[in-house]
Amino acid sequence: LASEEEQNFIKEVEFRMEQTYAGEKITIVKRNEKEYYLAGKYNPETMAERQIEICKGADFETLILIIGFSDGRVLRKLVENIDENTVVLIYEPCMDLFIHTLKNYNLTDIFLKKKMGLLIDGINGTEIRETLERLITIERLAKIKTIIVGNYEELFEKEVKHFIKIEKEIISALRVRWNTILNFRDFSVFNIIRNMKYLYEHYSLNAFLNVLKEVEKLVRNDIKMLSTQ
């Protein structure tokens, strides 16, 4: 169930529809006596194209985080330009806006094609940290792309900042862990190599060969990790 704060927040938001000069449907959201065009008034397709520019060429190792389900235009443009195995997580801070979009735009085909997850305040929005901790991994650190859909920073400032804060905290913690692993790994390799001459003199051939295998394993892992950066 939505919290009292979420319920009060939803009541503050109103929607209406317009058409662009080209005849496309667009949504206008009103909050605190201000109106915001979700997709731009004149050329919504171009606006969506610009927003997904950083994600073009994304592959199966990329994680794309979208803040704002909006009217679905950015999402549709995104799936046309990324690998079908790319993981996409969409966070929508307003349940009523999500419902409005589903009622007024046909997006069902998009969810059949891609690996997508949805976090919606009032439904499962409390699972942001848990979900991001599962999706943001050391292997993906260099391939995380975050899109804040047009006007969401103004419409839902508090919610957007909260999501970004959690994302940054998880990334920061993983980087610390990554650096610790690298430092420990360097120290371990150094010690093994330094002690190899003693192993050769005082241990059996099998023990010596096992150490060589450990060195090979560490080096291979380092190369693999570096290739993901």
Side-chain angles (χ1 to χ4, degrees):
L1 292 175
S3 67
E4 183 178 346
E5 181 181 352
E6 287 171 333
Q7 291 170 349
N8 290 337
F9 173 76
I10 289 172
K11 292 175 183 176
E12 298 174 4
V13 182
E14 299 174 6
F15 315 104
R16 65 184 180 85
M17 304 288 292
E18 278 188 10
Q19 284 192 339
T20 65
Y21 294 115
E24 297 177 86
K25 289 193 300 184
I26 52 175
T27 296
I28 298 93
V29 180
K30 184 177 180 181
R31 187 187 182 204
N32 296 332
E33 303 305 317
K34 290 184 179 180
E35 288 192 332
Y36 301 87
Y37 285 81
L38 290 184
K41 187 174 182 178
Y42 301 102
N43 198 335
E45 293 300 318
T46 300
M47 182 176 176
E49 182 77 32
R50 287 174 184 163
Q51 290 225 269
I52 62 99
E53 191 69 34
I54 62 169
C55 298
K56 286 186 177 179
D59 57 24
F60 71 95
E61 292 181 327
T62 307
L63 171 62
I64 299 176
L65 305 174
I66 301 180
I67 302 176
F69 190 78
S70 189
D71 61 4
R73 276 189 175 85
V74 170
L75 186 57
R76 182 175 291 283
K77 190 66 66 175
L78 178 70
V79 299
E80 294 171 358
N81 288 276
I82 60 173
D83 185 276
E84 65 178 6
N85 292 310
T86 302
V87 176
V88 180
L89 177 68
I90 306 116
Y91 167 58
E92 174 51 57
C94 181
M95 183 170 61
D96 277 6
L97 177 51
F98 175 73
I99 294 170
H100 166 86
T101 297
L102 291 184
K103 286 181 178 178
N104 290 280
Y105 301 89
N106 183 13
L107 301 170
T108 52
D109 59 309
I110 294 176
F111 295 99
L112 297 175
K113 295 179 181 178
K114 302 292 174 180
K115 293 183 177 179
M116 290 192 182
L118 274 171
L119 289 173
I120 304 167
D121 275 1
I123 299 177
N124 61 348
T126 58
E127 299 172 11
I128 293 174
R129 184 175 293 276
E130 178 186 344
T131 304
L132 289 181
E133 284 177 344
R134 286 201 311 268
L135 294 177
I136 298 176
T137 62
I138 288 177
E139 293 77 16
R140 283 178 170 151
L141 272 181
K143 290 195 170 187
I144 299 171
K145 310 291 184 182
T146 304
I147 298 174
I148 303 176
V149 174
N151 283 324
Y152 265 66
E153 286 181 280
E154 290 78 19
L155 273 165
F156 312 113
E157 180 182 6
K158 179 182 176 183
E159 288 76 10
V160 170
K161 285 183 176 179
H162 179 63
F163 185 95
I164 294 294
K165 179 176 180 287
I166 293 174
E167 179 189 350
K168 287 181 176 179
E169 287 173 353
I170 294 170
I171 290 174
S172 178
L174 274 177
R175 281 179 176 158
V176 169
R177 181 182 166 199
W178 167 251
N179 289 332
T180 302
I181 290 171
L182 285 184
N183 291 334
F184 177 74
R185 184 180 303 277
D186 291 343
F187 182 73
S188 298
V189 171
F190 173 77
N191 277 342
I192 290 172
I193 293 174
R194 185 182 63 178
N195 293 323
M196 278 175 66
K197 61 179 181 179
Y198 303 112
L199 288 169
Y200 180 72
E201 293 173 359
H202 300 289
Y203 287 80
S204 68
L205 179 61
N206 283 336
F208 185 69
L209 291 175
N210 285 335
V211 170
L212 286 178
K213 289 178 182 178
E214 273 304 304
V215 172
E216 180 186 9
K217 188 189 300 181
L218 288 168
V219 171
R220 286 181 180 275
N221 284 341
D222 280 344
I223 292 172
K224 182 180 178 182
M225 288 180 179
L226 287 172
S227 69
T228 65
Q229 295 185 50

